[in-house]
Amino acid sequence: MAAILVLNAGSSSLKFQTFAPAPEGPRRLIRGQIDGIGLRPRFRAEGGGAAEAREMTATEVPDLPAAMHLLWRWLNTRGGEELLAVGHRVVHGGPDHAAPVIIEDTVLARLEALTDLAPLHQPGNLAPIRLIRAEAPDLPQVACFDTAFHRGHPDVADAYALPEELRAAGVRRYGFHGLSYAYVAAELARIAPDVAGGRVIVAHLGNGASMCALKAGRSVESTMGFTALDGLVMGTRPGQIDPGVVLWLIGERGMSVAEVSDLLYRRAGLLGLSGLSSDMRDLTASDDPRAAFAIACFVHRAAMQAGALAAALGGVDALVFTAGIGENAPAIRAAIAERLGWLGARLDPAANAAGRTEIGAAGAAPRLFVLPTDEELMIAREVMALLGLGEGPGPVR
């Protein structure tokens, strides 16, 4: 069966899915992932006649390239699918890419040059591309960008107050999690078209977290900027921080650029605040006061940023929660909604506890939703549209 392979590679995990192109859009065949890479690797796959789960050792799968080799061998030995193309989530597209693109040498070189702007993600995103180019050089590969969905912002939203020469060099706000926002925008248009055409805030709350302001389904503002460090408190990233703190760390503490980068990308956020864990599940289950403090900071910053996005939109018709925390942590949703009572947000506690699609109180505005995201399906749609594989829906822009 002809199929599209979709890869979503992170620093310690490799998610994969295969889709069959169909007139109504991509049809999912297999989904799975290799997580715990380098620590306690686990392989899982299901669908399409596959049902497999096994533990491995860190020696067997020490890094992402090793995980990709393992997946590539598994795909080739199981048979059943003929790959038409591979779609990749690439976090940073820089100023050159406002839409999906077929990967060739020049594109790959430009994406590699952006590694310093997304050091947690870009190396992992590009590693599978290199392996597949070596193993199957004629197989089309498509880069789908987390930054592309935000490229229609007005200039005033993306400009930093810096000299023009720096703006011309690409120092500007980009925004991230665009594949997630594109998928959620399409889903909201399907289930609630009356509000999807208005002013919507989408909260992508996970280990990486951001919010996006949508007007008529298009991004007009986002909490992330030049890199994926800005905005909300995240698992190991601080979110909004005074640039003077970085200057102080370098000037007064004598920290190198590499040490500051390690602090901001790997030792801050929920982990830094609590000293316990970067995982919201661990923190909500803990009775340690430091865990409660980290959660309070997360909620405070989320509510504050939602207020800023409401100002950018001139009001809010709906608030949508998505991603790991947004979809699975009713207590966090409730705390954020409570802080947004001044906007008119009112939760239905029973609906929220049950994780229903709509969790707002009847008749309240803005309406409140929980929508699971699906970045891999969005990538498959974009690959189909770019390569003309079928008549399915294309990317949401």
Side-chain angles (χ1 to χ4, degrees):
M1 179 181 294
I4 298 166
L5 171 64
V6 172
L7 297 175
N8 187 342
S11 57
S12 63
S13 67
L14 176 62
K15 298 177 183 177
F16 62 93
Q17 297 193 36
T18 59
F19 296 86
E24 67 276 11
R27 179 168 59 84
R28 198 184 324 271
L29 300 172
I30 297 172
R31 68 191 311 164
Q33 67 180 58
I34 305 172
D35 56 20
I37 296 170
L39 296 172
R40 289 184 299 169
R42 294 172 296 175
F43 177 93
R44 288 174 286 168
E46 61 183 10
E52 188 170 342
R54 55 191 167 99
E55 306 282 333
M56 294 166 290
T57 68
T59 303
E60 290 177 282
V61 191
D63 52 28
L64 186 62
M68 186 61 218
H69 276 286
L70 184 151
L71 174 60
W72 192 249
R73 289 196 305 271
W74 184 81
L75 290 168
N76 280 285
T77 55
R78 71 178 301 276
E81 285 111 24
E82 176 191 356
L83 293 184
L84 299 173
V86 184
H88 300 266
R89 177 194 177 209
V90 177
V91 165
H92 214 308
D96 298 323
H97 298 294
V101 63
I102 296 175
I103 300 165
E104 40 78 18
D105 290 344
T106 304
V107 170
L108 186 56
R110 285 201 297 260
L111 299 181
E112 288 172 336
L114 297 169
T115 296
D116 286 346
L117 302 186
L120 278 185
H121 303 93
Q122 204 82 345
N125 298 159
L126 302 184
I129 295 172
R130 296 191 193 94
L131 181 141
I132 294 172
R133 280 165 64 88
E135 296 282 343
D138 296 327
L139 182 63
Q141 296 193 75
V142 176
C144 301
F145 301 103
D146 261 344
T147 48
F149 186 67
H150 305 291
R151 287 299 303 274
H153 286 183
D155 289 342
V156 293
D158 285 347
Y160 289 114
L162 294 170
E164 168 59 26
E165 62 181 287
L166 293 175
R167 295 200 299 276
V171 181
R172 45 161 286 178
R173 300 181 72 249
Y174 289 98
F176 297 89
H177 293 135
L179 291 164
S180 175
Y181 292 129
Y183 178 81
V184 170
E187 279 297 285
L188 190 65
R190 182 180 66 83
I191 67 168
D194 52 331
V195 293
R199 303 161 299 178
V200 178
I201 296 173
V202 182
H204 178 106
L205 306 180
N207 187 58
S210 69
M211 288 184 173
C212 178
L214 302 177
K215 187 172 288 187
R218 298 177 64 89
S219 172
V220 297
E221 184 59 273
S222 174
T223 59
M224 281 183 168
F226 183 56
T227 69
L229 285 172
D230 201 6
L232 308 183
V233 174
M234 293 171 253
T236 61
R237 287 168 271 169
Q240 185 178 30
I241 188 171
D242 185 337
V245 173
V246 176
L247 298 177
W248 183 85
L249 292 171
I250 294 171
E252 296 297 320
R253 286 292 182 91
M255 294 177 69
S256 67
V257 172
E259 288 170 331
V260 173
S261 179
D262 180 68
L263 169 66
L264 297 181
Y265 277 102
R266 295 177 174 85
R267 297 193 289 117
L270 293 173
L271 177 62
L273 285 164
S274 70
L276 299 169
S277 176
S278 63
D279 193 317
M280 184 63 81
R281 291 169 295 188
D282 295 335
L283 299 179
T284 53
S286 173
D287 58 3
D288 191 309
R290 295 174 297 170
F293 178 68
I295 293 170
C297 289
F298 180 92
V299 169
H300 172 78
R301 189 63 57 85
M304 186 175 71
Q305 294 281 355
L309 294 182
L313 288 168
V316 184
D317 300 308
L319 172 63
V320 182
F321 293 95
T322 194
I325 297 171
E327 296 170 25
N328 300 300
I332 302 300
R333 294 195 298 259
I336 293 171
E338 182 180 5
R339 292 286 299 271
L340 296 177
W342 64 276
L343 277 174
R346 286 196 299 120
L347 205 66
D348 178 329
N352 182 51
R356 294 177 190 157
T357 298
E358 187 157 4
I359 60 171
R367 292 169 68 183
L368 306 178
F369 295 88
V370 179
L371 292 178
T373 192
D374 195 334
E375 294 166 323
E376 289 79 20
L377 178 56
M378 196 67 221
I379 292 169
R381 288 176 179 172
E382 295 198 337
V383 171
M384 280 185 62
L386 180 66
L387 300 182
L389 300 173
E391 302 296 330
V396 179
R397 290 283 177 261

